[in-house]
Amino acid sequence: MAKRVLVVEDNELNLKLFCDLLRAHGMTAEPVRDGREAVARARAFGPDLIVMDIQMPHVTGYELILELMVDEQLRDIPVMAVTAYAGRDDEERIRAAGARSYVSKPISLARFMDAVNALL
């Protein structure tokens, strides 16, 4: 059975790239363009992994990770942050919020897939 990945990204090009890449590797990718919809979509979709941007309008990736971590149904799903924030403090802050992996933009396709596979 194909692994299911919820992709939360407000940039349309990045969203398409991530979903196409995951699908090319035999996974089922569910796109979410607005972080405000992510928790409800995660509950309905039942992902094995959540890939999310950190810098989004309306709700930040940090806030979203914290919301996922307190949800009994979703807290055990690994979160991989994909962000333009590339400083050491940024990575520590993202991991402290609950993300299990961190990939900085611009992404290397191979590094992105290595991080995805390591979490699955």
Side-chain angles (χ1 to χ4, degrees), residues 14-119:
N14 287 338
L15 183 66
K16 181 174 177 9
L17 172 66
F18 299 157
C19 288
D20 287 351
L21 187 57
L22 293 164
R23 290 174 183 140
H25 284 85
M27 298 174 198
T28 302
E30 176 74 11
V32 177
R33 290 164 182 78
D34 188 329
R36 295 175 295 187
E37 301 171 13
V39 172
R41 293 283 283 285
R43 284 189 192 120
F45 181 62
D48 298 296
L49 172 66
I50 299 171
V51 173
M52 78 168 66
D53 187 16
I54 294 298
Q55 189 176 4
M56 296 183 289
H58 312 299
V59 59
T60 69
Y62 296 110
E63 294 165 333
L64 188 53
I65 292 169
L66 293 171
E67 191 174 344
L68 292 166
M69 294 302 118
V70 299
D71 187 299
E72 285 188 30
Q73 183 182 346
L74 305 174
R75 75 171 122 219
D76 293 328
I77 300 169
V79 173
M80 183 175 101
V82 181
T83 182
Y85 294 132
R88 181 88 172 130
D89 291 342
D90 296 316
E91 181 175 359
E92 288 173 8
R93 185 173 168 215
I94 290 166
R95 288 183 183 274
R100 294 194 197 162
S101 184
Y102 170 93
V103 176
S104 61
K105 293 177 185 175
I107 66 161
S108 150
L109 300 182
R111 205 166 114 229
F112 177 87
M113 286 310 303
D114 286 347
V116 166
N117 288 322
L119 290 171

